[in-house]
């Protein structure tokens, strides 16, 4: 079967750096995505990694190691508005994504 | 900007009713998806469609069916609603290509009494 593991909750303070890990076990792999979802809101796309390495988009970076079946989302200079749930998702090649159960990030002042 | 619109934000129905959830996207996307989201379980795929009148079962299709008569519209149908189908339902769409992001609607919070 397919499984994605990510921590259920992470807490950090404003201005800090936080890393949210995701390990996956899937029957196919084309890429790893990250989505952000604020309470009551729709998930929104943050990043996509198809190849090994680090992708940077402003304060957010995402990393992938295909050999380790592992990726992470790195959030720098944390702001209160970053408090949200973060989901990793694998593209297994069937057009649909397989999502992890989500990591709830709480940013404290 | 891509707009995915779900017909209802909140819906309350009774056990045994036939329930229709509607989703419309305005970007001519080929692929559309229905997920349900429950606390601690993330987003689970119910059904998806990659073309008009085409559909594929996701991971939890039991108790659900779908309809895609037009490219922009994807409907989720609960044939006979049950209390364990109380959940948040999210619709998404995406264009062709494995790296295309999914665009989500705001969700329908469905309660079955």
């Amino acid at each position: 079967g397919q499984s994605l593991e990510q921590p259920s909750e992470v807490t950090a303070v404003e201005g800090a750096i936080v890393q949210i890990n995701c390990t996956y076990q899937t029957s196919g792999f084309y890429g790893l995505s990250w989505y952000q979802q604020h309470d009551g809101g729709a998930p929104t796309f943050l990043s996509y990694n198809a190849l090994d390495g680090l992708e940077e988009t402003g304060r957010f970076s995402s990393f992938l190691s295909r050999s380790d079946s592992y990726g992470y989302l790195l959030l720098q200079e944390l702001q209160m508005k970053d408090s949200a749930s973060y989901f990793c998702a694998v593209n297994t090649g069937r057009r649909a994504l397989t999502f992890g159960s989500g990591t709830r990030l709480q940013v404290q002042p | 900007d891509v707009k995915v619109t779900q017909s209802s934000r909140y819906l309350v129905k009774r056990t045994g009713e036939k329930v229709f959830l509607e989703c419309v996207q305005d970007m001519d996307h080929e692929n559309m998806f229905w997920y349900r989201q429950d606390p601690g379980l993330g987003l689970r795929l119910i059904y998806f469609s990659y073309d008009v009148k085409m559909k594929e079962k996701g991971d939890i299709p039991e108790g659900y069916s779908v309809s895609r008569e037009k490219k922009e519209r994807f409907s989720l149908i609960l044939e006979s609603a049950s209390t364990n189908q109380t959940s948040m339902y999210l619709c998404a769409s995406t264009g062709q290509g494995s790296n295309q992001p999914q665009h989500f609607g705001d969700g329908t919070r469905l309660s079955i009494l």
Side-chain angles (χ1 to χ4, degrees), chain B residues 26-27 29 36 41-42 51 53 55 57 69 83 91 98 104 106 111:
Chain B
D26 66 357
M27 279 301 290
H29 282 166
R36 66 177 279 177
L41 297 178
D51 202 351
K53 297 192 187 296
K55 61 186 179 185
K57 291 180 180 178
E69 296 296 318
T83 54
C91 174
S98 61
F104 285 85
D106 287 334
S111 296

Side-chain angles (χ1 to χ4, degrees), chain B residues 16-74:
Chain B
E17 278 192 71
K18 190 168 187 176
V19 181
F20 294 84
L21 303 184
E22 308 285 346
C23 175
V24 176
Q25 50 95 3
D26 66 357
M27 279 301 290
D28 203 37
H29 282 166
E30 288 78 13
N31 305 301
M32 295 188 74
F33 311 86
W34 276 106
Y35 296 90
R36 66 177 279 177
Q37 183 174 22
D38 300 287
L41 297 178
L43 282 74
R44 293 181 292 165
L45 181 68
I46 305 171
Y47 267 97
F48 67 99
S49 168
Y50 51 91
D51 202 351
V52 174
K53 297 192 187 296
M54 305 303 288
K55 61 186 179 185
E56 278 196 34
K57 291 180 180 178
D59 301 315
I60 51 165
E62 297 78 21
Y64 303 95
S65 63
V66 289
S67 171
R68 191 153 180 215
E69 296 296 318
K70 293 184 177 181
K71 192 174 185 180
E72 67 271 18
R73 186 180 296 271
F74 192 35

Side-chain angles (χ1 to χ4, degrees), chain A residues 53-67:
Chain A
L54 191 68
E55 297 273 348
E56 297 181 61
T57 311
R59 295 187 297 113
F60 293 5
S61 304
S62 57
F63 172 84
L64 175 66
S65 168
R66 294 177 68 127
S67 59

Side-chain angles (χ1 to χ4, degrees), chain A residues 2 13 18 25 33 37 57 62 64-65 69 89 93 95 98 102 107-108:
Chain A
Q2 327 271 33
V13 296
V18 74
Q25 229 176 337
S33 301
Q37 185 182 30
T57 311
S62 57
L64 175 66
S65 168
S69 299
R95 295 188 180 89
T98 299
V107 181
Q108 295 178 338

